[in-house]
Amino acid sequence: MNRIIFLIATALCVAACSHKEYDLSEGLNKEITLFGDEISLPIGSIGPVTLQYAMGSLGKIEGLGSMVAEYIKQDAEGYLFIADSGDIYRNNIYEIEREMGDVSEARTWDAGSQYASVGGLASMLSLINLKCCNQSITISAANPLSVSIPASCGATISYTGATGGVTMPVAELDNVTLKRRSEEALFSMTLPADVTEPVSSIQFSHLALDMPATPTSRISDRTGNLFLAFTYSFKSGITVGERFSFPLKNISTGQVNLPLGKYRLKKCEVEIELENTIPISVTIDNIRVLEPRESKDEEAVVNENITVSSGITVAGGSMEKPSTTVIKVAIEALSGVIPDIPELLLDLQLNAQPNLGIVPLSVKQGLYVKSSSARLCGGITLGNNENE
């Protein structure tokens, strides 16, 4: 998010002034009209800033932010996701044979009811106001024996849907055969698109396995896998919940070093058109110009002589429906002229953009400069001397 902050702040403060072609000390650039209605400054070199750059800031959120960030990944198409896997049932063949007792003949063994809690990692997303989307789950089995094992159970998957709790029977697992010496997927599904709460559990009722006589004598590789197991793998995309709201106070842009002093402006208005494909609106408030610092460890001091208008909101959007926002900011020196601006301090309020629906987060989403220039227009005042 700091990169997004940097882009907005840089655009607002006319980063293009760092280009040599705008140096007034060697005469006026003919493409810049000082005494017309506006000055147009190209800023095409700024941006785009995508969500890729914002991922690092998640780990800085106190509490579970860093923990969640560790498990958030991106797929081949750039979409963010969280994944989990675990056991529904796992037992060593030697232990199964011991529990069966008499193994002189083949027989059906009742392994009981088995339960797995699935959405542990995904449930942490809600703690930072994020939700699941495009959830998928796969149930697999591993058989270490040299013979196939018929199995049966009453399997269910539980989750919270749009109208409440759902327990869905999985008829595909009523009767299955675990192939010899294999690990394979038995069942896969994708949840309905409107399910934003994570899958909560998988349950096997009365798991029954048709075991051969003396199972340990049928182990295929005694130095390899010795476990008969049913496992799950879970994957979920990430989206912003409707109630997503996150305040960030006193956010520094870091060193931006904008050389505005040489233009000797007392007051100006900056206008820029931005395109946003992230489904989060950003309100920028309480923008303050900082005095130069020798090092980042030095205490920041606000330049009280420079005022910057605030209350700017950049609307959220999506790659399919990007938002376009024109922002205008007035910068003024209460006395004298606007100096070089080394750093800005500001407050942010992040909110879900209403009426966008479920938008999966992707590292390709970002904030872009739609127009190729920023306009300094209305009330441009040039200072006459250093003490003005």
Side-chain angles (χ1 to χ4, degrees), residues 30-50:
K30 294 181 180 180
E31 294 182 1
I32 301 176
T33 305
L34 280 178
F35 301 104
D37 294 331
E38 64 184 38
I39 299 175
S40 180
L41 302 177
I43 57 169
S45 61
I46 300 176
V49 175
T50 64

Side-chain angles (χ1 to χ4, degrees), residues 263-282:
Y263 296 98
R264 302 187 46 73
L265 298 173
K266 182 176 179 62
K267 181 180 179 181
C268 66
E269 183 182 83
V270 178
E271 177 178 314
I272 186 169
E273 188 175 20
L274 297 173
E275 182 176 276
N276 188 11
T277 58
I278 303 174
I280 297 174
S281 68
V282 182

Side-chain angles (χ1 to χ4, degrees), residues 242-255:
E242 292 182 358
R243 298 182 180 180
F244 179 87
S245 179
F246 203 89
L248 295 169
K249 301 293 185 181
N250 298 320
I251 301 300
S252 169
T253 60
Q255 292 294 318

Side-chain angles (χ1 to χ4, degrees), residues 277-295:
T277 58
I278 303 174
I280 297 174
S281 68
V282 182
T283 298
I284 309 167
D285 216 346
N286 195 20
I287 304 174
R288 290 144 287 166
V289 174
L290 297 183
E291 299 281 5
R293 291 196 281 179
E294 294 295 330
S295 69

